[in-house]
Amino acid sequence: MHTLNKKALSEIETAEYIGMSRSFLRQSRMEGNRKYRTPAPPFVKIGRSVRYLKDDLDRWLDGLHRLEHLSESKEAH
């Protein structure tokens, strides 16, 4: 698979690229951003197809809060 050369990734390619499950992507698309949950990555609709732009995914990953240890996580409470 040549995901590094593509600009728009499918759900399967996106899940592999960000290291998350397809169910995470589906759930985050349906529910949007929820308190104490990982924010949803941005996506686009092309006709009936859902695609994730690689540049958006890179910015999304870069924008996630980095933890030094689990006690920093709001989910650990």
Side-chain angles (χ1 to χ4, degrees):
M1 189 180 319
H2 300 287
T3 56
L4 296 178
N5 298 330
K6 295 175 87 174
K7 182 173 180 159
L9 305 179
S10 70
E11 183 181 82
I12 294 170
E13 292 166 331
T14 298
E16 183 178 308
Y17 184 72
I18 67 171
M20 298 292 285
S21 67
R22 291 176 68 191
S23 63
F24 164 77
L25 293 171
R26 284 191 206 109
Q27 187 173 8
S28 67
R29 275 198 314 270
M30 296 299 156
E31 297 178 358
N33 293 334
R34 293 177 52 197
K35 191 174 183 177
Y36 303 123
R37 298 282 179 109
T38 301
F43 65 95
V44 296
K45 292 273 290 185
I46 304 172
R48 296 175 68 181
S49 299
V50 172
R51 294 292 178 262
Y52 294 83
L53 302 179
K54 187 175 174 299
D55 289 343
D56 287 346
L57 293 173
D58 290 339
R59 278 191 293 277
W60 177 78
L61 287 167
D62 288 342
L64 293 175
H65 180 69
R66 288 164 179 76
L67 304 175
E68 295 293 325
H69 47 82
L70 286 178
S71 67
E72 293 180 57
S73 173
K74 292 176 184 161
E75 296 172 357
H77 294 141

